Amino acid sequence: MATAAIEDVSRPSLFLALTEFPRAMAEFGSMTWASPLLMQAPKGDGHPVLLLPGFMATEFSMKPLQTYLDKLGYNAFHWELGRNLGPKAIGHNGEHLIARLEQIHAETGRKVSLVGWSLGGTLARQLSRRRPDMVRQVISLGSPIVGSPKSTNAWRAYQMLTGHKIDDPDVQAQLAESHDVPPVPSTAIYSQQDGIVAWQNSREPKAPHTDNIEVKGSHCGLGVNPTVLWAIADRLAQEEGQWKPFERGGIRSLLYPSSGH
């Protein structure tokens, strides 16, 4: 199994952090004119998609993505665990999140794709390890999945609000586990203009069933960025068992700079 090297990278700059809100608002506004183009994305096959919000966010933040995926023909589900405060939401051992996945799998009778934003993507990768038989693929958006959690501008707030200390043995064990490639096809979508999470730590390790898609935009706008939504739709449209890397030819090369591998 491939394992990522732990990179000693700096947190995003203060400028990127302070401009997160206006940049995210601009990305949200761009959805209006991009909507006709977004609806040209490959149509869904009806399989279930579980959406996991970022740190301190609720399922409300995932509503635009849920609406989009439902229109494409997927069966998008919210996580229904309230505000994402790490173990306070999912349970100390992730038992609440596991139960939610099992519920959706039982209800639909199909494997579930997981799409997680920021901390939600980190949790999605861990969830895929707990129930790989129920997970079709994982897509993370600007998630701190490798490296040091201190390479983010939110780690102090995370410790204070979750009670999860970065140096605790169980947290260190989870971090070590996160450095391994998930047991299902996994795609990381990231931006070098991310003002919250160091983009170098938001990429999947290179492996036969991983890919990294670079976009341009803010961290807080990833869930409403049209280029991100298109990439998610493209990844979800692949037939089960037929996963392949994202195609970057033609005009896509202008919107998606590189694979990051």
Side-chain angles (χ1 to χ4, degrees):
M1 177 179 291
T3 301
I6 299 178
E7 296 187 56
D8 183 16
V9 298
S10 300
R11 297 191 299 272
S13 70
L14 181 61
F15 172 78
L16 287 176
L18 292 177
T19 58
E20 273 288 326
F21 181 74
R23 290 190 290 137
M25 289 297 97
E27 289 164 82
F28 178 72
S30 69
M31 289 186 66
T32 300
W33 62 261
S35 181
L37 295 174
L38 288 173
M39 293 312 300
Q40 300 304 310
K43 297 302 182 283
D45 62 358
H47 83 265
V49 182
L50 175 58
L51 307 176
L52 286 69
F55 174 52
M56 294 195 296
T58 67
E59 58 190 37
F60 178 78
S61 66
M62 309 299 286
K63 185 64 177 177
L65 179 56
Q66 183 206 30
T67 300
Y68 176 56
L69 295 181
D70 282 343
K71 287 182 178 178
L72 284 181
Y74 295 99
N75 191 4
F77 291 84
H78 288 302
W79 79 337
E80 298 185 354
L81 296 176
R83 193 172 300 278
N84 188 348
L85 294 177
K88 290 185 177 180
I90 69 171
H92 184 73
N93 296 308
E95 59 270 17
H96 303 321
L97 185 54
I98 293 172
R100 179 60 174 149
L101 173 64
E102 293 175 337
Q103 177 188 27
I104 295 171
H105 183 266
E107 179 181 323
T108 63
R110 303 181 69 176
K111 287 188 175 183
V112 183
S113 288
L114 308 178
V115 180
W117 190 349
S118 195
L119 177 60
T122 306
L123 299 179
R125 294 172 86 251
Q126 293 177 343
L127 181 58
S128 73
R129 294 188 175 92
R130 302 296 182 268
R131 292 292 186 273
D133 57 313
M134 297 182 181
V135 176
R136 179 162 167 165
Q137 67 172 299
V138 171
I139 302 172
S140 61
L141 313 179
S143 300
I145 57 180
V146 297
S148 170
K150 293 185 179 181
S151 294
T152 76
N153 283 318
W155 74 271
R156 288 186 176 87
Y158 176 85
Q159 288 195 141
M160 180 178 66
L161 294 173
T162 68
H164 231 195
K165 301 301 181 183
I166 299 301
D167 296 328
D168 284 352
D170 63 330
V171 175
Q172 289 298 311
Q174 291 178 25
L175 290 173
E177 179 184 31
S178 187
H179 294 156
D180 293 332
V181 171
V184 300
S186 302
T187 302
I189 300 176
Y190 71 97
S191 168
Q192 292 197 32
Q193 295 81 46
D194 193 314
I196 306 299
V197 178
W199 64 268
Q200 297 93 330
N201 293 350
S202 294
R203 299 173 299 172
E204 283 286 354
K206 187 174 183 179
H209 289 93
T210 64
D211 197 12
N212 294 299
I213 302 175
E214 182 183 346
V215 299
K216 296 183 182 298
S218 68
H219 179 88
C220 295
L222 285 169
V224 293
N225 184 317
T227 58
V228 174
L229 267 59
W230 179 280
I232 292 173
D234 178 276
R235 300 291 77 205
L236 293 175
Q238 299 176 100
E239 293 184 17
E240 187 171 353
Q242 301 297 316
W243 187 93
K244 60 183 180 180
F246 186 66
E247 174 57 50
R248 294 170 179 81
I251 193 172
R252 288 192 185 189
S253 62
L254 300 177
L255 301 175
Y256 304 99
S258 69
S259 69
H261 277 326

